[in-house]
Amino acid sequence: MKQYPFEYDHSRPFIAQVSDWMADVFYDILPESGFEVRDEQIYMAFQLERAFSEKQTMFAEAGVGTGKTLVYLLYSICYARYKRKPVVIACADESLIEQLVKPEGDIAKLTRHLNLAIDARLGKSPDQYACLVKLDDARFRDPEADMYEELYEGLPGFVRSHEPMQNFHAYGDRKNYPQLSDEQWSKMNWDPFQDCFVCDKRHRCGQTLSRNYYRQSEELIICSHDFYMEHVWTYEGRKREGQLPLLTDHCAVVFDEGHLLEAAAQKALTYRLKHSVFEAIITRLLEGQVREELALAIEEAIVRSETMFAGLENRSQTIPGSDRKPVILDEQLVTEVNRLRQALSAIEEELVFESGLYTLNEYQLRIVEEHLETMQIALRLFEQESKLLCWVTDGQDGPTLVVMPRTVKEVLQERVFSSGMPIVFSSATLSVDGSFRFLADSLGIGNCLSFQADSPYDYKNRMELLAPIGPGEDTFERKMEAAAGLLERTGGRTLLLFPTKDELLRFKQAVPAYPAIRNMRIGFEGDGEISHLISSFQNDEQSVLAAVSLWEGLDVPGPSLSSVIIWSLPYPPEDPVFMAKRKESAVPFEEVDMPYMLLRLRQGIGRLIRSRDDSGIVSILSGELYERQEVRARVEAVLPKGVRIKEAKLF
């Protein structure tokens, strides 16, 4: 295979030659295949040259229709071949990964029209794969055991065999089970409490086989923000344990929809502790012959863990719209945490003596020691309440304690932005009021490059923006009436965006009471695999898609998406993370709530016009646009050029 898609002159800078070739691509080669010449796309291509040549971080804000994905893909492919290391393309979530690699996606277009052989492989998050241990449990204990048994029988033969594997392939991807709801999938997919180290099925695991495959990519590894940050956070620990990092060594990173990276970083930097998991791991030590001192220390730690988790449940508060229950830290709870830490330390001391006797399984001992170390690190954060965020989530086998440092800036500065490699943030919405400081400050980015390129689309004549909810009408019933009227008017063809899952579920439950829409084909996020739901929506012109996570990245051109209904202005949730941010700000509404809302609103509005021929309606169901002029003014300031809020109430 030819290394570069152009004749490489060793006497000239490589990236400059890439830029010259891309000018030929966008001015001549692609237009010959029917692509239009886009000045904004070419401008972006020349701007991105600086990021790769100077190996800097760049904010690349390019509006819908600029073709920004093609630009960063071409640079990434060439740069990977030059460095002989892959480039990581990190998308906001798995649904956006699937859109990038779908048969009609941008990678397929480059392969077809430029005759490029592109080595692009998916590195999906672990929870996107079936867990054989959990599947076994569901087969024998779940009320839907017959369904899970059928799924088990459909696995590749080598999974159910004890013979050495001769031919094998990756399997168990969430995408392959579109018929399962998220709740059904959660009973058979990997979760953070699975003890993979001691799993006797790990060498036949679909996640393991998939990981072996994408690690061999020579050009592009496409993953989610969550997965990339998990790689960053676990890199040193995995090396210390003799494991391979989640991702291979790479030469550049592109964060598509990069404004969502902070949330992914926070998620990756959390510690999750559960009493049932701790008890199951620690009691393994009692299966062999151990000294009485160690057995007593284990019993004491189990009691202390039970007490601490009971205290957490008693001090946690339920917040409407969030499954995160913030914990009230008081002196008694901190005392219980410290007592558990002391009990864990006692076990660690006893293990030093026990290991010298060689009575414990060395592999099991290492697993226990790693788990104890993780617990100690997490619980040590309680020493500095000002630097700690914690909450509780409920589960069938008891509560989970989630502990997170308040800020992720230091980790990102040290492990990502000081790497000396090109890092590109790409999105149509990275700035607030024309500045990138809100995002840069939240991520701890100092010096960086940036540019903005407007969308080439005629929004003024193609988009109508309605605000059908008047002042004082912000009730659920009024929103249902407006939504039903809008859906009836458009005959479906609508994306409904909800800020929270609770709001989506309430809408779903209310649909049968509205005759105009009760028989419409409505796909609800959570009822099936998300990329399958998107495909069904795109191929069924008169259907509706209701979602919480599709504010970014969804690309459905044509009449299937002729209307976007935004259920309410998408302010950040009332959860411990944003509660802490507000507490630290002198003007929380201006510095926390408003920037978040405006970025997300711009993304939601951007789902409507995806090609020059698209047209339609965006409806924002919020009386706040009439009641608070300062909010209305800020919203109007971020609308596409020429678009104004239409005040006429239609229903």
Side-chain angles (χ1 to χ4, degrees):
M1 180 182 73
K2 186 178 179 181
Q3 185 172 359
Y4 306 120
F6 54 85
E7 293 299 327
Y8 176 41
D9 182 352
H10 290 267
S11 66
R12 294 182 57 214
F14 176 76
I15 295 299
Q17 295 179 66
V18 175
S19 184
D20 291 344
W21 170 70
M22 289 180 67
D24 292 337
V25 168
F26 293 127
Y27 276 124
D28 300 319
I29 301 174
L30 289 181
E32 289 178 0
S33 298
F35 289 72
E36 62 179 291
V37 176
R38 301 177 183 178
D39 292 336
E40 299 85 0
Q41 186 178 49
I42 295 166
Y43 172 70
M44 178 180 177
F46 287 120
Q47 290 295 318
L48 233 58
E49 178 184 349
R50 297 173 58 204
F52 282 90
S53 62
E54 299 175 24
K55 299 180 181 179
Q56 289 203 49
T57 297
M58 170 173 275
F59 292 111
E61 183 177 82
V64 177
T66 54
K68 54 185 173 292
T69 306
L70 295 181
V71 175
Y72 73 62
L73 283 174
L74 289 176
Y75 266 113
S76 298
I77 293 164
C78 292
Y79 197 68
R81 294 182 180 184
Y82 178 63
K83 289 291 187 177
R84 300 184 183 276
K85 295 179 183 178
V87 171
V88 172
I89 309 294
C91 302
D93 55 37
E94 264 68 26
S95 67
L96 301 186
I97 291 175
E98 292 293 346
Q99 290 197 75
L100 196 58
V101 299
K102 62 185 179 182
E104 65 273 23
D106 287 323
I107 290 177
K109 291 177 184 176
L110 293 178
T111 300
R112 184 165 59 252
H113 297 294
L114 298 182
N115 196 28
L116 278 177
I118 302 172
D119 184 11
R121 309 191 186 193
L122 303 188
K124 289 191 173 184
S125 297
D127 61 4
Q128 295 296 304
Y129 291 94
C131 170
L132 296 176
V133 173
K134 286 181 67 176
L135 180 56
D136 279 348
D137 187 65
R139 289 167 56 208
F140 298 115
R141 296 180 177 86
D142 193 83
E144 297 182 286
D146 290 345
M147 178 192 71
Y148 290 109
E149 179 65 31
E150 184 177 345
L151 295 176
Y152 176 77
E153 292 298 327
L155 296 177
F158 65 80
V159 177
R160 302 186 302 276
S161 171
H162 296 289
E163 300 295 325
M165 291 193 298
Q166 302 297 325
N167 295 304
F168 54 87
H169 56 84
Y171 67 93
D173 190 329
R174 172 69 171 104
K175 182 184 177 183
N176 298 327
Y177 302 94
Q179 75 279 17
L180 298 184
S181 69
D182 286 354
E183 182 179 359
Q184 291 171 324
W185 173 249
S186 70
K187 296 177 181 179
M188 63 174 282
N189 74 320
W190 180 91
D191 65 56
F193 296 107
Q194 297 311 303
D195 195 354
C196 301
F197 292 116
V198 296
C199 179
D200 60 355
K201 305 175 187 293
R202 64 186 181 277
H203 297 303
R204 300 176 187 272
C205 172
Q207 179 190 157
T208 301
L209 298 177
S210 172
R211 194 167 291 171
N212 292 339
Y213 174 73
Y214 74 68
R215 281 190 176 124
Q216 299 171 29
S217 175
E218 297 180 351
E219 292 180 356
L220 302 179
I221 298 177
I222 305 170
C223 66
S224 66
H225 292 177
D226 286 352
F227 193 56
Y228 187 82
M229 292 314 305
E230 186 72 17
H231 159 75
V232 170
W233 183 235
T234 62
Y235 182 82
E236 294 297 335
R238 293 181 70 88
K239 286 180 61 179
R240 186 171 61 249
E241 296 166 11
Q243 302 179 70
L244 291 173
L246 293 179
L247 295 171
T248 57
D249 191 20
H250 47 279
C251 62
V253 185
V254 176
F255 292 112
D256 201 344
E257 305 298 350
H259 60 290
L260 299 176
L261 182 63
E262 183 187 14
Q266 290 171 333
K267 182 178 178 182
L269 296 182
T270 58
Y271 297 92
R272 296 177 180 271
L273 308 181
K274 184 180 288 189
H275 171 73
S276 59
V277 174
F278 166 66
E279 185 175 17
I281 289 177
I282 201 70
T283 52
R284 289 177 187 166
L285 297 177
L286 300 177
E287 295 174 0
Q289 293 183 346
V290 298
R291 294 177 303 115
E292 183 179 359
E293 291 84 352
L294 176 57
L296 291 174
I298 291 173
E299 291 177 7
E300 174 68 12
I302 291 173
V303 171
R304 292 301 179 193
S305 175
E306 288 176 334
T307 303
M308 185 194 75
F309 275 92
L312 289 168
E313 284 194 281
N314 293 333
R315 294 169 178 83
S316 60
Q317 298 176 317
T318 300
I319 299 177
S322 175
D323 61 352
R324 297 177 175 181
K325 300 165 64 175
V327 175
I328 300 173
L329 294 178
D330 58 21
E331 185 177 348
Q332 180 60 35
L333 180 58
V334 173
T335 298
E336 291 167 358
V337 169
N338 289 333
R339 286 174 177 168
L340 176 56
R341 287 181 57 195
Q342 292 168 3
L344 297 179
S345 296
I347 294 176
E348 290 172 327
E349 291 174 3
E350 295 299 334
L351 287 177
V352 173
F353 292 104
E354 200 74 36
S355 61
L357 300 176
Y358 301 102
T359 58
L360 296 176
N361 179 281
E362 183 178 352
Y363 190 65
Q364 290 276 15
L365 178 61
R366 190 176 68 166
I367 300 303
V368 172
E369 288 175 336
E370 286 291 335
H371 192 78
L372 293 178
E373 181 182 356
T374 298
M375 290 185 68
Q376 289 281 33
I377 293 172
L379 297 177
R380 197 176 299 132
L381 291 173
F382 283 85
E383 292 178 352
Q384 295 179 291
E385 182 180 341
S386 61
K387 297 184 178 180
L388 166 73
L389 283 176
C390 67
W391 61 87
V392 169
T393 59
D394 294 327
Q396 292 183 343
D397 55 348
T400 297
L401 170 64
V402 184
V403 183
M404 184 181 78
R406 280 184 180 269
T407 177
V408 299
K409 292 182 182 180
E410 292 81 2
V411 175
L412 290 173
Q413 285 173 336
E414 177 186 352
R415 304 188 188 182
V416 179
F417 300 118
S418 63
S419 60
M421 63 181 175
I423 298 176
V424 176
F425 286 80
S426 173
S427 178
T429 56
L430 294 171
S431 65
V432 177
D433 296 331
S435 171
F436 296 97
R437 284 322 316 166
F438 172 72
L439 183 56
D441 290 345
S442 68
L443 296 173
I445 299 173
N447 295 328
C448 59
L449 304 173
S450 65
F451 74 88
Q452 293 172 288
D454 292 333
S455 170
Y457 294 155
D458 180 14
Y459 287 97
K460 181 178 180 180
N461 296 306
R462 291 283 178 174
M463 177 186 289
E464 185 178 15
L465 197 147
L466 308 178
I469 300 296
E473 296 183 347
D474 261 325
T475 65
F476 176 78
E477 291 73 20
R478 184 70 187 89
K479 289 187 176 186
M480 282 299 305
E481 292 172 6
L486 288 162
L487 290 171
E488 185 177 24
R489 171 182 170 177
T490 58
R493 303 179 175 87
T494 297
L495 171 68
L496 261 162
L497 291 173
F498 295 86
T500 68
K501 185 177 180 181
D502 283 353
E503 290 174 289
L504 181 148
L505 292 176
R506 190 177 180 191
F507 171 84
K508 180 181 179 181
Q509 292 166 358
V511 165
Y514 291 81
I517 59 174
R518 67 168 57 138
N519 294 321
M520 281 189 174
R521 295 180 295 280
I522 305 178
F524 293 95
E525 182 176 354
D527 284 357
E529 193 272 327
I530 190 66
S531 65
H532 177 75
L533 290 174
I534 293 171
S535 178
S536 298
F537 171 63
Q538 186 166 11
N539 294 323
D540 184 355
E541 188 176 316
Q542 293 183 309
S543 66
V544 177
L545 179 59
V548 176
S549 68
L550 297 180
W551 293 77
E552 295 88 8
L554 180 68
D555 186 20
V556 180
S560 292
L561 206 173
S562 301
S563 169
V564 174
I565 297 177
I566 294 173
W567 190 255
S568 59
L569 292 177
Y571 290 109
E574 291 293 328
D575 71 7
V577 174
F578 284 98
M579 289 168 66
K581 284 190 173 188
R582 294 184 185 103
K583 188 176 180 180
E584 294 171 356
S585 172
V587 281
F589 185 73
E590 285 296 320
E591 296 180 350
V592 179
D593 295 325
M594 183 63 73
Y596 178 97
M597 183 273 284
L598 293 175
L599 278 174
R600 201 153 178 80
L601 182 64
R602 289 175 63 195
Q603 283 286 351
I605 291 171
R607 297 314 98 210
L608 181 67
I609 307 295
R610 308 303 299 178
S611 73
R612 287 192 185 277
D613 296 328
D614 283 353
S615 62
I617 304 168
V618 173
S619 305
I620 303 175
L621 307 186
S622 174
E624 192 175 359
L625 295 175
Y626 296 96
E627 297 163 354
R628 302 182 64 179
Q629 289 304 310
E630 72 278 13
V631 172
R632 182 188 181 107
R634 295 291 295 276
V635 168
E636 288 184 328
V638 301
L639 295 178
K641 187 176 180 180
V643 176
R644 292 291 179 266
I645 296 173
K646 189 172 182 179
E647 297 191 9
K649 292 172 59 179
L650 303 180
F651 310 102

